[in-house]
């Protein structure tokens, strides 16, 4: 990691540092999946407001080396040229003391958080090794063309007279859309189908998301249905460490989808067993009140897990191991966070009209 400005924040997995003047990279990275991230210092940051950028990588063996250099204009890392790689290899012994050693203290927690993230999942969600940004990357539909004439500039909204009201000002703002080249390609979660269904069937689909979850897994991960839990871990890490809010929203949708898939409890008990283990380690990384809605004081996770725990206990023919896992997980959450799964969730309460 060459030419990194002093003070730049660089991290890997659950550890991060502010770089000193002698920093040239990291060492002792164990084989497996890792998430490397960085953000500029206040002095250096000019284009991204010191927002965080990260990238997943898979280390195949302990001797593997990756060569990156800092791009001060884009405030990110890029691959070194072949000449730079040869130079580093020639002076390798002099550079080793300047490599920051990875602290293994958090390795067990990280392995639990990333256990089901494979290279297949990384390549699917981040094609061409695209980075993860902490803010959505937007482009202007009106100004993305590189060729603009003087008449275009003179007639642009920014050059016109001052607007008389807010509505007029908003109508003249440039239209923005998310950059397709920067978008994270998460699996698309279909809406509840209504065409050709009776009212009874529509209600059933709203209550039980099994068909939607099954379709999602068969479409995106036909060879291994558990890969959907790798995507769950991927989105959680992008939110927790990459500070990407869109990933948090996707994580919530996946959790809701899995917790409300009643019919699959008997068909795919391993999926739900592993799901509760994955969620167990994820919840160790966040405060207990994180999911509380400020306006209603309701807790998103308590609501969806209440549904899951209830269905596991009441559905006939559910795997005994899954029932024991559910009871154990429920007791753990109640003991650690004080979450109440015995009372009816807030949103299930009747609406009182005065």
């Amino acid at each position: 990691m060459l030419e990194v400005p002093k003070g730049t924040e660089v991290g890997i997995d659950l550890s991060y540092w502010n770089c000193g003047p002698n920093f040239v990279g990291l060492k002792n990275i164990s084989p497996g999946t890792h998430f490397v991230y960085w953000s500029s210092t206040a002095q250096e940051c000019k284009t991204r407001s010191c927002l965080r950028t990260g990238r997943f990588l898979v280390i195949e063996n302990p001797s593997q080396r990756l060569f990156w250099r800092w791009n001060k204009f884009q405030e990110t890392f890029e691959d070194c040229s072949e000449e730079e790689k040869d130079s580093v290899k020639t002076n390798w012994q002099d550079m080793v003391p300047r490599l920051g050693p990875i602290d293994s203290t958090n390795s067990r927690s990280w392995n639990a958080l990333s256990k089901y993230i494979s290279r297949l999942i990384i390549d699917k969600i981040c094609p061409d090794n695209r980075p993860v940004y902490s803010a959505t990357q937007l482009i202007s539909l009106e100004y993305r063309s590189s060729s603009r004439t003087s008449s275009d500039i003179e007639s642009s909204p920014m050059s016109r007279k001052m607007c008389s009201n807010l509505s007029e000002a908003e109508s003249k703002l440039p239209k923005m859309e998310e950059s397709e080249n920067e978008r994270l390609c998460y699996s698309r979660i279909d809406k509840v189908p209504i065409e050709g269904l009776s009212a009874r069937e529509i209600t059933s689909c709203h209550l039980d998301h099994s068909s939607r979850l099954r379709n999602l897994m068969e479409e995106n991960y036909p060879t291994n249905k558990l890969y959907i839990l790798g995507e769950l871990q991927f989105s959680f890490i992008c939110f927790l460490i990459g500070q990407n809010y869109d990933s948090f929203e996707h994580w919530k949708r996946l959790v809701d989808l899995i917790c409300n898939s009643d019919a699959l409890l008997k068909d795919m008990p391993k999926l739900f067993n592993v799901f509760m283990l994955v969620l167990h380690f994820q919840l160790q990384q966040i405060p207990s009140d994180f999911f509380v809605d400020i306006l209603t004081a309701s807790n998103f996770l308590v609501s969806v897990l209440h549904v899951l725990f209830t269905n596991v206990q009441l559905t006939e023919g559910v795997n005994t191991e899954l029932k024991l896992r559910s009871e154990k997980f429920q007791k753990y959450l109640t003991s650690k966070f004080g979450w109440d799964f015995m009372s009816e969730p807030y949103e299930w309460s009747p609406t009182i009209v005065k």
Side-chain angles (χ1 to χ4, degrees), residues 59-301:
I59 301 297
E60 303 290 351
N61 57 76
S63 61
Q64 182 179 347
R65 299 176 187 175
L66 298 176
F67 300 88
W68 293 352
R69 68 181 301 277
W70 183 258
N71 184 321
K72 64 180 180 181
F73 300 105
Q74 296 295 323
E75 295 166 1
T76 189
F77 285 101
E78 60 186 15
D79 291 334
C80 289
S81 64
E82 291 302 321
E83 292 78 10
E84 289 171 322
K85 292 180 182 179
D86 291 338
S87 176
V88 171
K89 292 176 182 178
T90 301
N91 299 285
W92 182 248
Q93 293 303 320
D94 294 331
M95 301 188 73
V96 168
R98 300 168 61 187
L99 296 172
I102 303 299
D103 185 359
S104 61
T105 305
N106 296 319
S107 60
R108 186 174 181 180
S109 296
W110 172 255
N111 290 336
L113 287 176
S114 61
K115 181 176 181 179
Y116 296 96
I117 302 177
S118 65
R119 184 181 292 278
L120 181 148
I121 294 173
I122 296 173
D123 291 341
K124 173 192 178 298
I125 302 177
C126 295
D128 302 320
N129 199 27
R130 67 181 53 169
V132 177
Y133 297 105
S134 59
T136 302
Q137 302 300 294
L138 301 175
I139 57 174
S140 170
L141 298 179
E142 187 174 354
Y143 300 126
R144 60 182 172 185
S145 172
S146 58
S147 57
R148 296 179 62 199
T149 64
S150 58
S151 60
D152 293 331
I153 298 174
E154 289 174 0
S155 61
S156 67
M158 298 302 294
S159 63
R160 297 171 191 163
K161 64 180 181 178
M162 184 177 296
C163 299
S164 59
N165 55 62
L166 180 60
S167 297
E168 182 183 357
E170 289 180 344
S171 67
K172 294 180 179 180
L173 289 173
K175 297 180 180 179
M176 311 292 288
E177 71 172 7
E178 185 177 0
S179 171
E180 289 292 336
N181 295 329
E182 311 290 352
R183 187 196 303 261
L184 297 179
C185 302
Y186 288 121
S187 299
R188 182 174 179 270
I189 300 177
D190 294 330
K191 296 181 179 180
V192 175
I194 58 175
E195 294 185 8
L197 299 180
S198 65
R200 182 186 183 89
E201 291 171 329
I202 294 174
T203 301
S204 177
C205 288
H206 275 285
L207 295 175
D208 186 352
H209 301 334
S210 297
S211 61
R212 296 167 63 199
L213 177 58
R214 190 189 298 274
N215 291 340
L216 184 149
M217 291 187 294
E218 290 179 350
E219 180 179 340
N220 295 276
Y221 306 112
T223 59
N224 190 340
K225 303 299 189 294
L226 289 183
Y227 279 169
I228 189 63
L229 300 180
E231 184 166 330
L232 184 75
Q233 290 187 321
F234 187 105
S235 58
F236 183 80
I237 290 171
C238 285
F239 165 68
L240 177 71
I241 304 176
Q243 301 174 356
N244 182 283
Y245 183 76
D246 290 340
S247 294
F248 175 57
E249 288 299 314
H250 184 72
W251 178 85
K252 287 173 60 179
R253 288 192 291 269
L254 283 179
V255 170
D256 179 75
L257 188 67
I258 296 172
C259 287
N260 284 279
S261 296
D262 312 354
L264 291 181
L265 289 171
K266 292 186 292 184
D267 299 339
M268 304 183 68
K270 185 177 180 180
L271 173 69
F272 294 92
N273 253 311
V274 178
F275 167 69
M276 283 186 262
L277 280 175
V278 167
L279 206 56
H280 168 84
F281 290 109
Q282 290 180 343
L283 293 179
Q284 291 181 349
Q285 303 296 323
I286 52 180
S288 59
D289 60 349
F290 182 83
F291 298 100
V292 175
D293 188 302
I294 297 175
L295 297 180
T296 64
S298 63
N299 187 307
F300 159 76
L301 270 182

Side-chain angles (χ1 to χ4, degrees), residues 6-53:
K6 179 182 177 181
T8 300
E9 180 185 271
V10 173
I12 181 170
D13 304 338
L14 297 174
S15 304
Y16 67 92
W17 307 266
N18 289 102
C19 300
N22 296 322
F23 176 83
V24 293
L26 303 170
K27 64 180 179 180
N28 301 338
I29 303 177
S30 61
T33 300
H34 298 277
F35 185 66
V36 180
Y37 50 97
W38 55 89
S39 59
S40 302
T41 60
Q43 296 87 347
E44 294 290 333
C45 191
K46 297 176 182 177
T47 62
R48 298 194 190 280
S49 302
C50 299
L51 300 179
R52 181 170 287 183
T53 305

Side-chain angles (χ1 to χ4, degrees), residues 338-351:
W339 291 351
D340 178 16
F341 295 102
M342 306 306 295
S343 303
E344 188 177 79
Y346 174 86
E347 48 269 32
W348 292 9
S349 304
T351 302

